Amino acid sequence: MLKLFSHLLTVFLLLVLGGCGSGSDRTSTNAAATIRNDSLGWIGAWGAAPYGPYPAGPLGDIVPIALPGNIPLPPIPTLFSNNHALDQSFRMIVHPTIGGTSVRIRLSNLMGDRPVVFSPVRVAKAAAVAPAIIPGSDTAVLFNGKPEVTVAPGAEAVSDPVSFTFAPGDDLAISFHVVGESGAITWHAVAFSPNYVSLPMAGDTTSDPSGATFTQPTLGWFFVSGVDVLRPDSAGTLVAIGDSITDGAFTLGNTRWTDWFAQMLQGQDLALGILNEGINSNTVTRQGTSKTSLNQGPPAVERFTRDVLQRPGVSAVLIFEGTNDLSGGIPATEVFADIRTLVKRAQAAGLCVVVGTIMPREDTPAAPWDAANHEPERQRLNEMLRAQSDIDGIADFDKAMASPIDPMKPNPAFYFPDLLHPNSLGTYIMATAVPIEALLPPPSGRCSKASR
């Protein structure tokens, strides 16, 4: 969403973060256009939308701040030589939304300018204190039976199935070594959870159980774009496409609304994988995307095929975007028209569709909002969203996050001080506003299209 502000960041924000948008959908090399009825039963357990070459992006220009007591933060370290990975290893920590016994790992070179060679690739359970891994859990990941894979520019590689048992709530450590020089690095800048990289020229340290060789912490996810799990018993995959509110701005500790929603499903013993495809500053419309911004990613109308329809086992989508379009001066009618385009594309693919209403916000220095002009458009857009009669449900985030005193204002208890991004309590409240029954087939839900 809007440029993130530094005064709320924790000690983890010692590092350069960022991202940039690509021009349009670029097809994954190992994925069919839509595989929700894949008889193999693969679904998405975790995902992040890759959207930019390192290091340009929303937090790339952040100024180091002081900790409580005016203790200065250390300088922002340089992760890479020439902004390229050079014979170094990565340990990315991900939090799957559903458990299983067999996984596939996805590596993306979406923004690359040359082929990238990964060798080896490993998956393990992350220890309570990362980047250490749990002894005995480290497992090799193969691609076409080999420990090495070369991923072409613009492509995504999907691994062979790996026998690997994990439960909901387990953090996984995906470790890989980049052979030689990578060129432009594909990443998802604002992970808001710590990940780890070795020094350049450190070589292959992927099997290091202590993680001591991964000396450079970062809040971005590099190269890894997804974890699939074999769950033929599930209702499929829900993809949440959105902006930084879905991406989880500031909500460290896996407390995005999608994380809370996954826990709610688990509490009801409902098997549905969730992929969070939120991107900081993202818009629905092409008109709302700045021609000079490097941090928004492509608008939803351009990335919908790649980030929704091509995801494994997709059965449902929750579309929650528009606040950045409105604050950029795009009329509600144009935003709604493009949301309807996404709805029709999802329905044509046989997906259940839920749309989120746009939450209240206030004008703050960190997140400007011209209430006189933008608020009537927000109200108009929400009216049109609620009036849709052909979708499966509405996630009424507007009502859930509004002040009990003035429903046109945000409830400050649910927001960070920018009064735009929800805090962890707010993301929990958002999760409770998502209609579970609209995303699941009978008997658990009412969306017959979700039957696998």
Side-chain angles (χ1 to χ4, degrees):
M1 295 183 68
L2 299 169
K3 177 176 280 191
L4 304 179
F5 51 99
S6 62
H7 68 276
L8 291 175
L9 301 182
T10 69
V11 67
F12 290 118
L13 283 178
L14 308 181
L15 308 172
V16 176
L17 296 176
C20 112
S22 67
S24 60
D25 287 338
R26 295 170 75 174
T27 303
S28 304
T29 55
N30 291 8
T34 304
I35 55 173
R36 66 177 287 269
N37 291 316
D38 182 359
S39 60
L40 296 178
W42 289 97
I43 66 169
W46 175 88
Y51 63 98
Y54 175 89
L59 301 181
D61 59 355
I62 191 169
V63 176
I65 58 175
L67 296 173
N70 292 319
I71 301 172
L73 291 176
I76 297 174
T78 300
L79 291 175
F80 306 107
S81 174
N82 194 34
N83 294 332
H84 294 178
L86 181 63
D87 188 26
Q88 61 196 120
S89 296
F90 294 71
R91 181 160 288 172
M92 303 288 98
I93 309 300
V94 305
H95 190 72
T97 56
I98 191 169
T101 59
S102 185
V103 299
R104 301 186 306 201
I105 305 301
R106 292 173 177 263
L107 297 174
S108 175
N109 191 23
L110 178 69
M111 303 304 299
D113 55 17
R114 69 191 73 176
V116 177
V117 180
F118 301 95
S119 179
V121 180
R122 312 185 69 82
V123 62
K125 291 183 181 179
V129 180
I133 57 176
I134 294 177
S137 68
D138 192 29
T139 306
V141 177
L142 303 180
F143 295 78
N144 294 320
K146 300 177 181 180
E148 178 178 297
V149 62
T150 300
V151 186
E156 178 184 72
V158 184
S159 79
D160 301 340
V162 180
S163 180
F164 187 86
T165 299
F166 64 100
D170 287 342
D171 283 339
L172 305 187
I174 301 171
S175 304
F176 50 87
H177 169 232
V178 172
V179 179
E181 188 170 1
S182 68
I185 298 175
T186 295
W187 74 327
H188 180 98
V190 194
F192 283 99
S193 58
N195 296 282
Y196 305 90
V197 184
S198 75
L199 289 170
M201 299 299 294
D204 173 19
T205 66
T206 56
S207 60
D208 174 11
S210 70
T213 58
F214 295 93
T215 56
Q216 302 190 88
T218 172
L219 294 185
W221 284 304
F222 293 87
F223 293 114
V224 63
S225 56
V227 176
D228 306 343
V229 63
L230 184 61
R231 288 296 299 265
D233 62 319
S234 77
T237 303
L238 164 65
V239 179
I241 185 168
D243 48 42
S244 64
I245 296 175
T246 293
D247 201 18
F250 308 119
T251 55
L252 296 174
N254 297 308
T255 57
R256 307 164 189 86
W257 75 256
T258 51
D259 296 316
W260 290 121
F261 190 64
Q263 290 188 35
M264 293 174 184
L265 292 170
Q266 294 157 15
Q268 298 183 41
D269 198 26
L270 298 173
L272 181 70
I274 302 174
L275 297 182
N276 186 318
E277 300 291 327
I279 292 180
N280 176 77
S281 300
N282 204 230
T283 64
V284 181
T285 67
R286 292 181 179 89
Q287 302 92 309
T289 300
S290 170
K291 299 299 186 293
T292 59
S293 175
L294 297 177
N295 62 18
Q296 293 177 288
V301 290
E302 292 186 359
R303 67 186 182 98
F304 197 75
T305 297
R306 184 189 72 222
D307 290 344
V308 178
L309 301 182
Q310 289 182 343
R311 295 303 88 191
V314 59
S315 57
V317 61
L318 194 152
I319 302 165
F320 176 45
E321 296 222 38
T323 193
N324 290 314
D325 301 83
L326 296 178
S327 64
I330 307 302
T333 51
E334 293 185 24
V335 181
F336 181 70
D338 276 358
I339 290 176
R340 287 297 300 171
T341 296
L342 303 184
V343 168
K344 293 299 185 183
R345 290 170 65 182
Q347 291 173 334
L351 307 186
C352 302
V353 180
V354 170
V355 177
T357 55
I358 309 304
M359 293 157 35
R361 55 187 291 185
E362 287 272 25
D363 181 40
T364 65
W369 177 252
D370 180 359
N373 293 308
H374 298 156
E375 183 60 27
E377 293 298 306
R378 186 183 75 88
Q379 296 292 335
R380 188 171 296 114
L381 177 57
N382 281 344
E383 289 173 4
M384 291 186 286
L385 293 175
R386 292 188 182 105
Q388 295 174 101
S389 60
D390 61 343
I391 61 175
D392 299 283
I394 284 287
D396 208 335
F397 300 135
D398 173 32
K399 289 184 177 179
M401 299 293 287
S403 165
I405 299 173
D406 183 348
M408 295 179 65
K409 302 289 185 181
N411 186 335
F414 298 158
Y415 287 79
F416 285 109
D418 67 348
L419 295 178
L420 169 61
H421 295 98
N423 57 30
S424 295
L425 174 59
T427 55
Y428 175 81
I429 297 300
M430 289 179 64
T432 65
V434 178
I436 292 177
E437 68 281 357
L439 301 167
L440 297 170
S444 301
R446 52 178 167 76
C447 182
S448 59
K449 295 191 293 294
S451 299
R452 292 176 58 79

